[in-house]
Amino acid sequence: MVLVCEQRSYHWTSDTEMSQRTERRGIHVDQSELLCNKGCGYYGNAAWQGLCSKCWREEYQRARQKQIQEDWALAEKLQREEEAAYASIQGAQSQPQAQPQASLGTFSKFEEKKTNEKTRKVTTVKKFFSPSSRTASKKDNQEGKTPSPSISRQSSIETDRASRDFVDFLKTMQKPGREVHKHSRTFIESMANKKDLGADELSEYVQDFYQNMSERLMTHFKVSSENVERVMDEVEKYIMTRLYKSVFCPETSDDEKKDLATQKRIRALHWVDIQMLCVPVDEEIPEVSENVVKAITDVIEMDSKRVPRDKLACITRCSKHIFSAIKITKSEPASADDFLPTLIYIVLKANPPRLQSNIQYITRFCNPSRLMTGEDGYYFTNLCCAVAFIEKLDAQSLNLDPEDFERYMSGQASPRRPETDSSWPQVDPGPVVSSPALAKVYQNLELLSGLGGRQDRVLAAAQSLQSDLMTWQESVGQEVQEIMEKYPLEIRPPAPSAIDSDVENDLLPPPLTPQVFAG
């Protein structure tokens, strides 16, 4: 898909109704380029060489069938050559009938060994070029092994929930529901033996299952097309939740390598700002800034989802927040030419984790009808265009000098926006920043530094108070000691008294009053 850059102008109005017009380089993609190269009217995909899922499958199957025929022809040719070579060796090594019996016995053993070797080689060549040899060999190797860990492991909470929801949904369909559940479980069990297949082969198996299941529902059970879509959405959710760990970023693919390359590329482009991409978004407006943050959050959240449909939903929500931000900024509905540059800006600021793996996962295992039509397909196609643009971004795309572009990419320098060519408010005082978002960051950093100074002052006052308290405690203790030394406390022992003493006997109650008897 070709990305075309053209000169475009944006008109901004300040609070004082003063307007400025700046000439910048914009990003433009003809909407016809988003469609399938075959002209079928569906949305194309860069991963499918600009074709829609339907046309890509047809091309893939056609090429695969051609490759199989060529492999079989090569196998037969090798077999004939090997048979001819063996026949010539056998004729050259044949012995006269008059040789001793021992020689005949030795030759018989040699002939038997050679025959076995020939049979083994021919069989190996046929298996190598056979389209089903890979699957058959995997089955033979795994007959005596334990089940796949991904199937026999303890189901996660999300997997259990998906299974319960799937069963509850199918209960309303009775007989068709039982049929769908049976085939879905059988398919998941069969995929346990296909973990080592290539990513395209795994995708082919899943897409074949989708197609066969939908055709069976429409022809055998006479289910309406609308209900078939609902059933297939639930089938996709159930199957892909169960198979997620084995088919997402498989070891047989280079998805992880592409993820690292894309993340490195986006990190190197951290200096690209709104003005360079000609993004019609004013983040100084609170509602716009909120929509930008939500869009970044949604595109990052895509990696946490398991179902391709849920990942597409994150892309759709992100795109709708982008359209809202553009509409608020421009006070008019956003156009497609406004949407793509803003989506590129969001992807650069978000740097979503495993972006390439998520795009490939959606491409391979999503219900094909979602990618071919509708808003999900449109937004997903634009995301693929945005990633392709980021990978090919150069100095000309940003209207920069090639030397400056290389210095920015290497980190030797960073761009600075001229004050006379700016429609965004500057942070004053403070460093010159490349976007309103960074201006907000600098403002927050200034507030944090002020809070840090206040915290230091509070800590200093607390230490001073602690020192004063210790000094006061020592002074009070010293004064108490001086008083005790000046006025010592004297404790006198009580005077002894007799029990029958007449002192205060009148105050005693009658039972205790001493009685005097005459002698």
Side-chain angles (χ1 to χ4, degrees), residues 121-397:
K121 287 183 178 180
V122 173
T123 305
T124 302
V125 172
K126 286 185 177 180
K127 284 186 176 181
F128 181 78
F129 290 104
S130 173
S132 60
S133 61
R134 195 172 184 182
T135 305
S137 62
K138 295 299 177 183
K139 291 182 179 179
D140 294 339
N141 293 335
Q142 295 185 3
E143 282 181 353
K145 295 183 179 181
T146 57
S148 171
S150 62
I151 301 298
S152 60
R153 72 179 185 277
Q154 182 71 22
S155 299
S156 64
I157 297 177
E158 189 172 356
T159 303
D160 293 339
R161 185 186 303 114
S163 300
R164 289 194 303 268
D165 294 343
F166 187 58
V167 172
D168 293 340
F169 173 79
L170 295 179
K171 284 180 180 179
T172 60
M173 300 179 60
Q174 297 180 356
K175 186 177 180 180
R178 291 192 296 269
E179 188 82 5
V180 171
H181 186 263
K182 175 184 175 182
H183 285 287
S184 299
R185 288 186 60 87
T186 303
F187 176 74
I188 291 175
E189 293 172 359
S190 67
M191 288 292 289
N193 298 324
K194 299 180 175 62
K195 291 192 309 175
D196 297 330
L197 295 183
D200 291 337
E201 292 173 302
L202 291 173
S203 174
E204 191 69 15
Y205 277 110
V206 174
Q207 295 297 334
D208 284 342
F209 178 76
Y210 288 161
Q211 183 177 356
N212 294 334
M213 178 63 70
S214 59
E215 290 178 354
R216 182 172 178 81
L217 288 173
M218 286 188 292
T219 58
H220 187 71
F221 295 103
K222 307 299 180 183
V223 181
S224 63
S225 58
E226 181 179 351
N227 289 331
V228 168
E229 288 296 325
R230 292 177 54 244
V231 174
M232 293 311 300
D233 286 342
E234 294 297 327
V235 169
E236 175 192 310
K237 178 182 178 181
Y238 172 67
I239 289 178
M240 299 318 301
T241 303
R242 297 288 299 271
L243 299 177
Y244 177 77
K245 290 189 175 180
S246 59
V247 299
F248 181 84
C249 191
E251 297 180 357
T252 56
S253 70
D254 58 348
D255 294 350
E256 185 175 1
K257 182 179 179 180
K258 292 180 179 178
D259 287 335
L260 296 175
T262 301
Q263 284 193 341
K264 183 178 179 180
R265 175 72 173 175
I266 293 177
R267 284 197 296 267
L269 292 169
H270 68 277
W271 48 270
V272 177
D273 58 20
I274 287 181
Q275 286 73 34
M276 293 179 181
L277 294 173
C278 207
V279 176
V281 168
D282 185 359
E283 291 185 88
E284 289 298 316
I285 303 175
E287 294 83 356
V288 174
S289 178
E290 182 180 357
N291 277 284
V292 169
V293 172
K294 289 181 178 179
I296 294 174
T297 303
D298 287 331
V299 75
I300 293 176
E301 187 182 2
M302 174 178 60
D303 185 60
S304 65
K305 305 298 182 181
R306 288 192 173 193
V307 185
R309 183 184 61 178
D310 294 341
K311 292 180 181 292
L312 276 178
C314 292
I315 298 174
T316 301
R317 290 197 302 269
C318 169
S319 302
K320 290 184 176 180
H321 288 310
I322 290 175
F323 274 106
S324 297
I326 298 174
K327 182 178 180 181
I328 296 173
T329 301
K330 300 180 65 177
S331 300
E332 62 182 22
S335 65
D337 290 340
D338 296 331
F339 170 66
L340 183 58
T342 312
L343 180 60
I344 294 172
Y345 173 75
I346 293 296
V347 173
L348 288 174
K349 294 306 175 185
N351 196 0
R354 300 190 293 186
L355 179 58
Q356 293 285 359
S357 292
N358 282 288
I359 290 178
Q360 293 297 329
Y361 179 74
I362 295 172
T363 301
R364 293 166 183 158
F365 304 109
C366 184
N367 191 336
S369 61
R370 286 188 172 273
L371 301 183
M372 293 164 58
T373 58
E375 61 178 7
D376 289 343
Y378 174 76
Y379 294 140
F380 179 71
T381 304
N382 276 273
L383 177 62
C384 295
C385 290
V387 175
F389 179 83
I390 291 172
E391 292 175 346
K392 300 177 181 179
L393 189 65
D394 55 10
Q396 184 179 3
S397 303

Side-chain angles (χ1 to χ4, degrees), residues 23-37:
E23 189 76 13
R24 297 188 182 274
R25 179 174 293 273
I27 303 169
H28 171 71
V29 175
D30 193 339
Q31 293 303 298
S32 62
E33 297 180 7
L34 300 178
L35 301 179
C36 176
N37 292 339

Side-chain angles (χ1 to χ4, degrees), residues 106-117:
T106 304
F107 180 75
S108 299
K109 291 181 180 180
F110 172 76
E111 184 181 9
E112 181 180 359
K113 180 179 179 182
K114 196 67 179 178
T115 304
N116 293 337
E117 184 69 15

Side-chain angles (χ1 to χ4, degrees), residues 22 29 77 84 346 369 376 400 405 449 481 499 504-506:
T22 58
V29 175
K77 179 182 177 181
I346 293 296
S369 61
D376 289 343
L400 295 175
F405 180 82
S449 63
Q481 185 66 27
I499 295 178
E504 296 180 353
N505 285 339
D506 296 338

Side-chain angles (χ1 to χ4, degrees), residues 409-471:
M409 292 294 293
S410 62
Q412 298 178 358
S414 59
R416 289 293 181 266
R417 185 174 72 251
E419 294 182 0
T420 58
D421 188 21
S422 173
S423 58
W424 301 104
Q426 299 287 333
V427 179
D428 188 25
V432 179
V433 296
S434 58
S435 71
L438 289 178
K440 190 67 175 178
V441 170
Y442 283 122
Q443 290 178 357
N444 292 336
L445 289 176
E446 291 177 1
L447 292 176
L448 287 175
S449 63
L451 290 175
R454 292 177 59 185
Q455 184 181 15
D456 294 339
R457 291 193 295 271
V458 170
L459 290 176
Q463 292 176 355
S464 176
L465 177 61
Q466 184 179 11
S467 177
D468 293 343
L469 287 174
M470 294 178 63
T471 303

